Every structure is written in C-alpha cells, then in structure tokens.
Amino acid sequence: MDVHRADERYPGGDPAAGITSRHAFSFGPHYDPDNLRFGALLACNEERLAPGAGFDEHPHSHTEIVTWVVEGELTHRDSTGHETVVRAGDVQRLSAAGGVRHVERNDASVPLTFVQMWLAPHDPGGDPAYEIVRGIADSTPYAVPEAGAMLHVRRLAVGERTAVPDGAYVYVHVVRGEVRLGGETLGAGDAARITNADGADAVAVTGVEVLMWEMAGQ
C-alpha cells in the first residue's frame, strides 16, 4: 500500500478566476514520469469553484470521466446535447470516446467542491456517451466496464468497518473525515494505492466518506 497525502497533490487551476485544483497524478505543467497513472486511473482531481466560476468549453478524448460532487452543484453541458446539474451523491460519467467537448460551471450562489477521476478505456475511439446516477447507494457499486473498473462509495459512522475490494489495483480516496487503513490514518484528500488487494478493510475514525476504485490488471 502506497499512501499519498493531500498536501502532496500538485496545485493547479486559476485561483484569480475562482478555480482551485489539486491533482493526485502528473497533470499539465506538473509532469512526473513516476506518477502518470495507477491501474486504469489517470487523474483524481479535487476541484473547488467559487460561485460563477467554471471551466469554459474544452475537449476530451479516449477518457472515461467520472465526477463526484462533495458540496454545491455542478452544471454540466456537452457537445452531445446533455445539460445537467450534478449534486452531492450523484455519479456522473462522460465517456469522451473519439472526442467530446464540455463545459463545467458553478452557477449556484454557494461554493462548489467536486472530485473528478479520469480512467483509460481498454479500446479508444467510438462514440461519446453520458450517464448520471442520482443518489447512488453505498451498496450499489458503479461499473465502468470500458476501463475494467468499479467504483464503490462508502459512508461510515465512527467505528464502522468496511471491506476494501479485492483487486489487482485498488485506489482509495478520502472525501471527508478520517479512516484507518493498513495501519495508516487517512484524512480528507489523502489516498491509498493498493496493489493486489486481498482481505483488507478500513475502519472509520470519524464519520467518513470514501471512494474506492476496484480495477483489473492492465
């Protein structure tokens, strides 16, 4: 298990425009050849947008983009005609496939925080696709078969325990609170990268919300 702390993330965004970003992997000008990906996961970005701030229309391709809102509301628009408001508890996925453009904004009057994760598909190209699952339950994993990945959401009270998925690659991201995992205490923004996970579990130190990616071998 390899632990990466929140304060080790690469800074990004445009604070003057109300955008603060923290990147877990090599991103943009922060190039690190030893931190390009983990399993299928290419990016895990923490984004904070002030009211009225946002990312203007920009392109993506050959990427599965999964978004998790922590607080506030994210307005999404894309070149295939989808326009939605994503709220806490929703899972949004945009399959960029052969190419798509989208806009992400905070059109609300309160700050927005979200986590956006990019995964590499097995087969690049094809037609873009979009999906949103409203209010996903803890007991309902979200599958991204194009990337051989499964997202597990866990919300635990103090002292509660949850199994960590077994898998060739498991990525654990703490959204809020503190959790004990493999002898380490992880707080908000911290992450653990586990190779060949087998029989591990996590215990909530405080009330906690955790995202866990279960990924097949590459």
Side-chain angles (χ1 to χ4, degrees), residues 96-168:
V100 70
R101 302 181 67 84
H102 73 156
V103 175
E104 296 166 300
R105 296 196 55 80
N106 179 9
D107 289 334
S109 59
V110 296
L112 164 67
T113 302
F114 64 96
V115 180
Q116 190 168 90
M117 297 150 287
W118 300 3
L119 297 98
H122 294 314
D123 300 311
D127 296 324
Y130 179 85
E131 181 177 46
I132 185 166
V133 178
R134 299 289 188 186
I136 194 165
D138 284 20
S139 57
T140 307
Y142 180 76
V144 185
E146 292 84 356
M150 188 93 70
L151 176 64
H152 303 262
V153 179
R154 293 290 183 268
R155 305 174 186 93
L156 306 173
V158 177
E160 282 193 313
R161 183 181 301 268
T162 186
V164 174
D166 295 340

Side-chain angles (χ1 to χ4, degrees), residues 67-74 85-91 112-115 175-176 209:
T67 303
W68 179 262
V69 171
V70 180
E71 59 184 359
E73 297 181 345
L74 171 65
V85 175
V86 189
R87 300 179 177 87
D90 300 340
V91 173
L112 164 67
T113 302
F114 64 96
V115 180
V175 176
R176 66 180 101 229
E209 182 174 278

Side-chain angles (χ1 to χ4, degrees), residues 37-40 120 122 147-149 166-170 195-196 214-218:
R37 66 187 290 171
F38 180 73
H122 294 314
D166 295 340
Y169 299 95
V170 174
T195 305
N196 298 320
E214 171 191 354
M215 296 171 283
Q218 296 298 299

Side-chain angles (χ1 to χ4, degrees), residues 12-88:
D14 183 354
I19 302 171
T20 302
S21 303
R22 293 291 183 267
H23 306 291
F25 294 88
S26 184
F27 202 97
H30 297 282
Y31 177 70
D32 181 351
D34 296 323
N35 191 26
L36 298 178
R37 66 187 290 171
F38 180 73
L41 197 62
L42 303 172
C44 179
N45 304 333
E46 291 185 330
E47 306 285 1
R48 291 174 172 83
L49 303 185
F55 298 99
D56 293 333
E57 186 175 82
H58 57 281
H60 288 279
S61 61
H62 316 310
T63 313
E64 300 292 318
I65 303 169
V66 178
T67 303
W68 179 262
V69 171
V70 180
E71 59 184 359
E73 297 181 345
L74 171 65
T75 297
H76 163 94
R77 292 191 297 274
D78 65 49
S79 54
T80 63
H82 297 98
E83 181 168 351
T84 53
V85 175
V86 189
R87 300 179 177 87

Side-chain angles (χ1 to χ4, degrees), residues 177-211:
E178 291 188 343
V179 67
R180 192 80 177 161
L181 175 64
E184 297 276 359
T185 299
L186 279 65
D190 292 348
R193 306 177 190 185
I194 308 172
T195 305
N196 298 320
D198 182 16
D201 59 11
V203 181
V205 178
T206 68
V208 68
E209 182 174 278
V210 179
L211 303 178

